[in-house]
């Protein structure tokens, strides 16, 4: 029996709003708080959790950027001659994505989404490595680099809480996919939460056979907003008559559009057009800096246009058809907030945004590693809390 196992269960999209109406894990993890998310999609949120830094520092933000010189997709241009009826099909796209990922040796998540093949060679893909592995960040270290450097034995993802680890990180992505499909009010959401509760109960039972104390942290990266409004931004921009790849480039993500300009005329006209769109706003540099998503080299776009919560860009480069719910709106929007649920009553107040989870992870990993080896903790100031017999 070892003294401590820090168990971090990351549930994608289990937002603060979702658990307002649901007693999710209240019995095993009664201490709850909202966490401010990071502006962007999971491609931004997960690296921020794992590194404790914002996208402006770690440079994992949106997937596709205008970068024809470094585009690995040049060969895919030939695919533009395949009828759109075929390449537009989700199943064909998925198969092609797998094939391309293998050929280009990408290690992270990869999907071609809905980027037209005639434009794909304009873009580079920014997550070539997996942020869930050591060395997986675009800039700087992540939690797994930290653990590896200190030789702290850890376990990532599927639960098999054995005796030999000092740290466990589990990643459960299914709630996110479910809510994208059915929305956040569906009866399927509480049903999914109940199944997660059973899974956590089983996990805790196994862990307690091997550890005197299991420090449980159930947390998420963002929430989920139902999307009842759709905006066809592409037709408005197309109507201005500028040429993609010559006058400007754009990536239509589902909740934001990112532009690069190659002449003043295009920049002026597109900016003026966007200023007239009431469903969204152009983010200023000051705001981007405050959100931790400002890039001085404009790598992810020279102009970022963000929609208000509940509106979706349809069609977009992420999908031809709408989905029921989405995240990636402003972190201050009500449904953007992530959540933290824990059996630890002493989580410091400054743990208030998702990158702060990194601090908790290194604190507990360091503590457990030291205590489990029979030495005094080197870093943490708080002595390990014993769990009450029933909570
Ligand atoms: Zn999602």
């Amino acid at each position: 029996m070892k003294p401590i196992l820090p168990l971090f269960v990351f549930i994608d999209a289990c937002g603060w709003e979702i658990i307002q109406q649901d007693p999710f894990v209240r019995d095993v993890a009664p201490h709850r708080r909202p966490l401010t998310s990071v502006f962007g999609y999971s491609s931004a949120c997960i690296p921020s959790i794992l590194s404790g830094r914002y996208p402006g520092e770690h440079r994992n933000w949106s997937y596709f950027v205008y970068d024809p010189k470094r585009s690995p997709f040049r060969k895919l241009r030939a695919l533009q001659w395949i009828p759109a009826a075929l390449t537009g099909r989700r199943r064909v796209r998925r198969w092609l994505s797998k094939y391309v990922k293998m050929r280009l040796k990408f290690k992270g998540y990869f999907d071609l989404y809905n980027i037209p093949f005639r434009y794909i060679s304009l873009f580079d893909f920014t997550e070539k490595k997996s942020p869930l592995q050591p060395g997986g960040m675009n800039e700087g270290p992540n939690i797994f680099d930290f653990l590896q450097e200190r030789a702290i034995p850890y376990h990532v993802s599927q639960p098999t809480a054995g005796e030999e680890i000092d740290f466990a990180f589990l990643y459960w992505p299914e709630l996110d996919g479910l809510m994208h499909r059915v929305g956040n009010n569906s009866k399927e959401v509480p049903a999914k939460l109940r199944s997660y509760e059973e899974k956590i109960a089983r996990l805790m039972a196994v862990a307690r056979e091997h550890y005197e104390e299991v420090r449980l942290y159930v947390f998420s990266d963002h929430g989920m907003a139902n999307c009842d409004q759709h905006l066809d931004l592409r037709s408005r921009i197309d109507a201005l008559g500028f040429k993609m790849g010559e006058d400007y480039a754009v990536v239509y993500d589902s909740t934001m559009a990112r532009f690069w300009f190659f002449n003043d005329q295009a920049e002026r006209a597109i900016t003026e057009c966007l200023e007239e769109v009431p469903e969204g706003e152009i983010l200023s540099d000051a705001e981007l800096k405050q959100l931790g998503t400002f890039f001085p080299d404009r790598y992810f776009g020279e102009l970022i246009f963000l929609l208000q919560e509940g509106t979706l860009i349809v069609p977009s480069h992420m999908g031809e058809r709408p989905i029921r719910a989405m995240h990636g709106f402003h972190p201050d929007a009500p449904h953007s907030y992530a959540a933290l649920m824990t059996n630890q009553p002493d989580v410091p107040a400054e743990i208030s945004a998702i990158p702060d989870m990194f601090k908790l992870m290194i604190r507990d990993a360091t503590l457990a590693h030291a205590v489990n080896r029979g030495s005094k903790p080197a870093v943490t100031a708080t002595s390990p809390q014993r769990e009450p017999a029933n909570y």
Side-chain angles (χ1 to χ4, degrees), residues 233 236-243 247-248 259-277 282 303 305:
L233 192 60
R236 292 200 201 189
I237 299 299
D238 287 353
L240 299 174
F242 296 103
K243 211 157 177 269
D247 300 311
Y248 75 106
F259 293 88
W260 293 259
F261 302 112
F262 312 131
N263 60 59
D264 294 345
Q265 260 172 309
E267 175 163 14
R268 206 173 320 119
I270 290 173
T271 305
E272 278 168 16
C273 171
L274 293 172
E275 279 165 352
E276 295 303 310
V277 178
I282 297 169
L303 183 155
F305 182 75

Side-chain angles (χ1 to χ4, degrees), residues 150-161:
R150 284 157 189 79
I152 300 179
Y154 66 92
H155 177 87
V156 189
S157 238
Q158 276 317 298
T160 46

Side-chain angles (χ1 to χ4, degrees), residues 189-355:
V189 174
K192 186 73 194 172
L193 295 179
R194 299 291 82 74
S195 83
Y196 278 152
E197 277 171 346
E198 284 167 27
K199 214 165 147 179
I200 288 168
R202 282 199 299 272
L203 200 60
M204 291 293 280
V206 175
R208 283 199 187 109
E209 288 171 16
H210 304 286
Y211 295 86
E212 287 165 32
E213 184 193 0
V214 183
R215 298 167 75 109
L216 174 67
Y217 301 93
V218 180
F219 68 105
S220 57
D221 50 350
H222 51 70
M224 185 71 76
N226 285 345
C227 292
D228 297 313
Q229 270 197 68
H230 304 141
L231 173 69
D232 184 359
L233 192 60
R234 195 172 72 189
S235 346
R236 292 200 201 189
I237 299 299
D238 287 353
L240 299 174
F242 296 103
K243 211 157 177 269
M244 169 83 161
E246 277 177 35
D247 300 311
Y248 75 106
V250 61
V251 176
Y252 296 108
D253 295 328
S254 38
T255 65
M256 64 171 132
R258 296 174 288 117
F259 293 88
W260 293 259
F261 302 112
F262 312 131
N263 60 59
D264 294 345
Q265 260 172 309
E267 175 163 14
R268 206 173 320 119
I270 290 173
T271 305
E272 278 168 16
C273 171
L274 293 172
E275 279 165 352
E276 295 303 310
V277 178
E279 293 94 339
E281 55 163 353
I282 297 169
L283 297 181
S284 67
D285 286 356
E287 179 133 51
L288 289 168
K289 279 176 193 162
Q290 196 222 323
L291 294 170
T293 52
F294 177 73
F295 303 88
D297 60 358
R298 314 277 162 180
Y299 183 62
F300 289 91
E302 295 167 27
L303 183 155
I304 312 294
F305 182 75
L306 172 64
L307 295 199
Q308 64 198 22
E309 188 177 89
T311 305
L312 208 58
I313 300 178
V314 182
S316 75
H317 287 148
M318 298 293 111
E320 199 60 28
R321 282 174 289 276
I323 48 174
R324 181 69 193 95
M326 194 57 211
H327 47 89
F329 296 103
H330 196 289
D332 286 346
H335 290 87
S336 289
Y337 285 85
L340 168 62
M341 293 141 274
T342 176
N343 59 3
Q344 299 298 303
D346 63 341
V347 175
E350 68 256 27
I351 305 294
S352 61
I354 61 170

